Each structure stands twice: as C-alpha cells, then as structure tokens.
Amino acid sequence: MDHAAVLVRYDLEERRNARPDAPGARIERAGAVVRQVAGGRGWNGVVWSALDAAGADRAIAEQIAYFTDLGRSFEWKLYGHDGPADLGERLIAAGFRAEESETLMVGEIADLTLEERLPDGVRLLRAADAAGVDLVVAVHQRVFGTDGTALRDHLLARLAADPGTVLAVVALAGDEPVASARLELVPGGDFAGLWGGGTVAEWRGRGLYRALVAHRARVAAAHGCRHVQVDASAMSRPVLERLGLHALTTTTPYVYER
C-alpha cells in the first residue's frame, strides 16, 4: 500500500470533505478550518485544519470563541502530520487538554486476513433496534468503564435516520453480551470506519476482536468501500497489524471545556 497516497485520500475524503456523523449535526468551513457542530450529546470539534505558524494562534482563538458562544465544549482532533509542527503545544497554551494519542491505521480490504471464527456457543447479532443497541452499550460500558448514554443516543439516531450508514454488532455467549463494535459508512466513500471494538476481560484472547473486524470489513466491502480505518489503541494495534492494517499517522484529541 502506498501510505502517502492513501493518507492524502483519507485527509481529503474524511477530513477536508467531512460529512456530519449524526442527524442534526452540520459541517462548517471557516477559513483553513473544517469543524462539526452538533447539539445535545453529539460530537463538536475541529475535523481538519491547514494552518501555518503565522496564523495558527488566531485560528485557535477563533474556534474557542465560536464554540464558547454556542455554549459547547469541543475537541480539536490533531493528526501527527498536521501543521504547524508545534500545533499541539499551541493548543495546550490556549487552554486545551490533551487526551491519549492513538494510531490511525488503514487497510485495503482485499489484502486483509479476515477470519470470522467464533468460539463455540458464541454468535453475532446485528443491533437493529433499541434492545440490540442496549446490548452493544452494555459491553461498551463494561470494557471502557464510561457512561454509554451518548453512544446509545448516537446509534439510535443513526439507525432511525439512515440505517445504511451504521452497523452495530454484538457477540453473544448464550444471552450474555461479551464483545461489540460498530461500523460507520459514508455513501460512496472509500473509507469505512471501525469504531468501539471491545471484548469483556474474561473473553479476551479467544478471537472475538478479530472476528468483529472481519465481519465489519466484509460488510464494508459489500457497500463498495475499498479501505477500513481505525483509530487504534496501543492494545489493538498489534492485532490490527497482524490482520494487514498499516499505521499511517497518529491522532490526539485536544479537548476544550467551556
């Protein structure tokens, strides 16, 4: 895979020409900044920027003023190749808090090792209603230790407004939800996003994470996507590399609390 060429396409499709990730959200372009504005528990933040040293501080101040006027906290999603080189330091100086960095990993679906092997007694269920979404959220809360209300609202809104753009899937051992993940699609897009993959502690090491990647990648391919992309944690990166995904850059959330 030509890493540089794929990263250019990713920036163009997923960031510069970003589309709203939820009903009611909107994408706005303000000079050299692309941002998403959402209400309620939706994601508000900067998706892309093309800044230089001379204009970076002014652009940062403008985004702070804009979201503060709206009464919203927001995130500046900074990629490792974004400029200027000290943009992260400038964000910290302006009052942002840096959260844990992850690795943007991309794989060409045709080249991936996709084995959808499940342990005996485990089956996959696609969440198509509130009951299924609740199972996905239950795993999310157990794995990540965070409140799943926003995720529940997001999935239900997407399934109601445009079910062809999202897939939520849960692995059930009998009736117990033990792993879950979601796939997000942009109609006509080249990249499908793999999000929220997690397995409860007592079921790790049995291939569930790999099976969920394989399942979602096949669905993405059936929708015409060429690549899958993941913001990978240090734990998931080795697994994804073995499946054939490549590390392209890093991504770090910088959060500004109003």
Side-chain angles (χ1 to χ4, degrees):
M1 189 172 76
D2 185 335
H3 291 193
V6 171
L7 186 57
V8 168
R9 292 205 307 275
Y10 175 88
D11 278 345
L12 179 62
E13 181 177 313
E14 297 291 305
R15 303 180 66 204
R16 293 182 66 178
N17 294 330
R19 302 186 193 184
D21 71 356
R26 66 182 185 270
I27 296 295
E28 298 180 344
R29 289 164 178 81
V33 170
V34 176
R35 64 194 176 212
Q36 175 169 292
V37 181
R41 298 187 179 91
W43 186 85
N44 290 274
V46 172
V47 180
W48 176 84
S49 65
L51 306 177
D52 56 23
D57 290 337
R58 182 176 65 254
I60 291 168
E62 289 171 351
Q63 299 312 307
I64 292 173
Y66 179 81
F67 282 104
T68 299
D69 285 348
L70 293 176
R72 294 181 176 94
S73 301
F74 73 105
E75 175 186 315
W76 193 301
K77 191 168 184 179
L78 179 65
Y79 288 75
H81 59 291
D82 290 344
D86 64 347
L87 184 52
E89 297 170 17
R90 292 172 185 259
L91 291 169
I92 293 292
F96 287 77
R97 179 188 75 253
E99 297 192 339
E100 186 175 354
S101 295
E102 295 181 311
T103 302
L104 173 65
M105 302 190 70
V106 174
E108 189 161 356
I109 297 173
D111 294 337
L112 299 182
T113 301
L114 301 178
E115 296 182 2
E116 200 172 323
R117 297 180 183 176
L118 294 169
D120 290 343
V122 176
R123 60 190 172 92
L124 296 185
L125 172 71
R126 296 192 185 189
D129 54 21
V133 168
D134 285 344
L135 294 172
V136 172
V137 171
V139 174
H140 179 88
Q141 293 183 148
R142 287 180 64 186
V143 172
F144 300 106
T146 57
D147 179 71
T149 303
L151 174 61
R152 185 179 191 276
D153 290 348
H154 173 78
L155 289 174
L156 289 175
R158 289 283 293 271
L159 287 169
D162 200 351
T165 65
V166 65
L167 165 74
V169 61
V170 60
L172 296 172
D175 294 325
E176 180 189 4
V178 295
S180 68
R182 71 185 191 273
L183 169 73
E184 301 208 354
L185 300 158
V186 176
D190 185 42
F191 296 88
L194 306 183
W195 299 98
T199 304
V200 301
E202 57 269 31
W203 279 86
R204 290 174 189 159
R206 306 193 200 186
L208 287 173
Y209 184 86
R210 294 192 300 275
L212 287 171
V213 171
H215 183 79
R216 289 176 291 164
R218 289 196 175 97
V219 172
H223 280 79
C225 298
R226 182 179 175 185
H227 295 91
V228 290
Q229 60 95 1
V230 186
D231 287 350
S233 67
M235 180 182 296
S236 59
R237 177 174 173 171
V239 179
L240 294 166
E241 287 177 333
R242 289 194 292 272
L243 296 178
L245 281 80
H246 301 262
L248 297 189
T249 187
T250 59
T251 177
T252 306
Y254 284 80
V255 177
Y256 190 91
E257 302 285 356
R258 65 179 177 89

